[in-house]
Amino acid sequence: MEALRIILTQSSANYKKEETVLNKMTYPLPPFSTIIGAIHSACAYRSYHPMDISIQGKYESMHKEPYTDYCFLNSIMDDRGILVKMKNENLLSTAFDKVAKAKKPQGNSFKKGITIEVINEKLLEEYRGLKNLSEKIAQFKTNRVGKALLLIKKRKNTLVDKKKRCEKNSLAFNVIAKRETQIKELEKMIKERLKDYEKEEYKIPYSKFASLTTSLKYYEILNNVELIIHVKSDKNTLMDIKENIYNLKSIGRSEDFVDVKEACFVELVDEVEDGITSEYSAYMDYDLIKNDSIYLKLGDKITANGTKYYLNKNYTIEDNKRVFEKKKVVYISEYGAEEGSDNLYFDVNGEKSYIVNFN
């Protein structure tokens, strides 16, 4: 069987476990979906090209790297957190300007200037102006608009009573009905003008402000990573990958750059004379471990054990959501194999030999 072997290195990498929230833990090797997605991006594919992947590799060490996590609150709080103005109010991102910061957990006030650290005086005055405008609009609704609408309501009730005393379609009835329509249009106009004013002058400008809190969290970072990736697919896809593999810039985070050392076609075999022991860790199909096709190189063919993962591979769209195909694998080290099977092969082309398990 022909496959494409890719060897690459990374000085650092984080292959984030999607279930981790507080601190971004990493898989020891990138999941299948991460590699497949990176390859599709390098080849500029816009649709899925079926492929099976074998992933093995090693890293020198691991450390934790701090980062600042931004958490936006559901509403703007005047007495806590950090007041910011968004560059785009429709996106919660780090594209914002800090306005002021509360100095205490509670009891502060950005509007009144109580125990806050002012970062941008101009934006803070804009925020305070909007808060004052909100109060004026509320007072105007109560004192002016509310009273006017109450009078309109009473007038409508009076007209309804008068209509009841008139013969339907009579001249008096039609005059009252016309006046009732005019009153309703006036009521609608007052409400719409107030709504439009409030939206344009207050709600839209105010929506650009937000409250956020920050916390110190950590990435798990793998150092000096080496990956050996085997790809099985149709001939045209493999040729595309080989020609475009140097477009692959990163795997994991955008800053986890890659250095592609090799990309070549190799012929895989399912038998070797004395078996092969691997110097790399790998994701191996759970059934291969269960059936003793893979064994530890320590001792006399001791059954291999490791960490079990359910890793994403490819996905389909169902109800506008990604539904991933999961692969049940075991992450193992210091293992060997003597005979191949449906998805277990050997790559003996070159200075090193590899045990290849496609998923």
Side-chain angles (χ1 to χ4, degrees):
M1 175 188 293
E2 188 177 56
L4 180 66
R5 181 178 68 206
I6 303 167
I7 299 178
L8 57 87
T9 59
Q10 295 179 273
S11 60
S12 63
N14 172 277
Y15 313 123
K16 183 179 179 295
K17 293 182 178 180
E18 60 272 15
E19 67 273 15
T20 59
V21 178
L22 294 180
N23 291 305
K24 297 183 179 181
M25 300 173 67
T26 181
Y27 286 108
L29 296 170
F32 305 114
S33 59
T34 300
I35 296 297
I36 290 173
I39 289 174
H40 277 62
S41 178
C43 295
Y45 287 148
R46 293 294 177 264
S47 60
Y48 178 62
H49 287 237
M51 61 184 67
D52 292 326
I53 304 290
S54 169
I55 303 173
Q56 54 192 298
K58 58 186 176 181
Y59 60 90
E60 189 175 274
S61 61
M62 182 174 71
H63 73 277
K64 287 187 176 182
E65 185 174 288
Y67 73 98
T68 301
D69 180 69
Y70 294 96
C71 178
F72 287 91
L73 303 181
N74 292 329
S75 59
I76 301 175
M77 307 297 289
D78 185 64
D79 65 340
R80 69 197 68 180
I82 302 173
L83 180 66
V84 299
K85 185 177 182 182
M86 308 301 297
K87 299 290 187 181
N88 184 340
E89 66 272 21
N90 297 317
L91 298 175
L92 293 179
S93 70
T94 54
F96 56 75
D97 292 313
K98 291 184 178 180
V99 180
K101 182 178 181 181
K103 293 183 177 181
K104 301 190 300 182
Q106 291 181 335
N108 317 280
S109 175
F110 296 118
K111 181 176 179 294
K112 298 177 181 178
I114 300 173
T115 57
I116 64 170
E117 176 189 343
V118 179
I119 300 171
N120 189 315
E121 184 70 42
K122 183 178 179 181
L123 294 181
L124 182 59
E125 287 303 315
E126 180 183 346
Y127 167 80
R128 288 170 173 167
L130 290 170
K131 295 292 285 186
N132 290 330
L133 178 60
S134 176
E135 293 177 358
K136 291 178 181 178
I137 291 174
Q139 292 174 359
F140 185 75
K141 282 182 180 180
T142 302
N143 299 331
R144 298 285 297 277
V145 176
K147 292 179 179 179
L149 293 178
L150 182 61
L151 291 174
I152 288 173
K153 183 178 179 180
K154 290 180 179 179
R155 182 58 177 158
K156 286 195 301 182
N157 291 337
T158 300
L159 293 173
V160 169
D161 291 337
K162 286 184 177 182
K163 279 173 59 178
K164 290 178 180 179
R165 295 194 294 269
C166 296
E167 184 178 346
K168 193 172 184 179
N169 294 327
S170 65
L171 178 60
F173 181 93
N174 290 335
V175 170
I176 295 171
K178 183 178 180 180
R179 181 56 181 162
E180 187 180 28
T181 299
Q182 292 173 342
I183 292 292
K184 287 181 179 179
E185 288 178 351
L186 175 63
E187 180 184 39
K188 181 180 178 181
M189 182 191 69
I190 291 174
K191 289 180 178 180
E192 287 183 348
R193 289 182 64 179
L194 178 61
K195 182 179 179 181
D196 291 342
Y197 178 84
E198 185 176 21
K199 178 181 178 182
E200 294 297 325
E201 299 299 323
Y202 171 69
K203 288 188 175 180
I204 291 178
Y206 191 68
S207 69
K208 296 183 180 182
F209 288 90
S211 292
L212 64 82
T213 59
T214 61
S215 60
L216 186 63
K217 295 183 180 179
Y218 295 89
Y219 279 106
E220 286 184 344
I221 304 297
L222 305 177
N223 304 308
N224 297 327
V225 179
E226 181 183 2
L227 296 177
I228 293 87
I229 301 165
H230 288 80
V231 184
K232 179 178 71 172
S233 187
D234 62 85
K235 183 66 175 180
N236 290 336
T237 299
L238 292 180
M239 287 296 296
D240 276 348
I241 297 171
K242 186 175 186 299
E243 291 175 2
N244 292 283
I245 194 61
Y246 291 96
N247 293 331
L248 182 61
K249 302 302 181 185
S250 64
I251 295 177
R253 303 173 301 171
S254 59
E255 61 266 39
D256 295 332
F257 300 112
V258 304
D259 182 10
V260 177
K261 299 294 186 182
E262 175 186 276
C264 64
F265 290 106
V266 294
E267 194 70 29
L268 304 180
V269 297
D270 56 11
E271 291 184 4
V272 287
E273 289 186 4
D274 300 320
I276 293 178
T277 55
S278 178
E279 66 179 81
Y280 296 97
S281 301
Y283 292 134
M284 287 289 166
D285 189 287
Y286 174 80
D287 290 334
L288 294 177
I289 308 299
K290 183 178 179 181
N291 299 330
D292 297 337
S293 298
I294 301 292
Y295 55 85
L296 293 180
K297 70 178 183 179
L298 302 175
D300 186 17
K301 296 184 181 180
I302 301 173
T303 301
N305 290 295
T307 304
K308 188 188 300 181
Y309 292 113
Y310 288 88
L311 298 180
N312 293 335
K313 187 186 176 186
N314 55 295
Y315 65 87
T316 56
I317 301 294
E318 298 179 14
D319 297 327
N320 294 322
K321 295 181 179 180
R322 292 183 179 184
V323 179
F324 278 92
E325 175 189 357
K326 297 282 188 176
K327 292 292 182 178
K328 188 177 182 180
V329 299
V330 179
Y331 173 74
I332 59 173
S333 304
E334 299 185 334
Y335 61 95
E338 291 183 343
E339 296 181 358
S341 62
D342 289 342
N343 287 314
L344 184 64
Y345 299 91
F346 302 99
D347 176 3
V348 293
N349 301 272
E351 297 180 1
K352 296 181 180 181
S353 296
Y354 307 98
I355 301 171
V356 179
N357 173 216
F358 288 114
N359 286 277

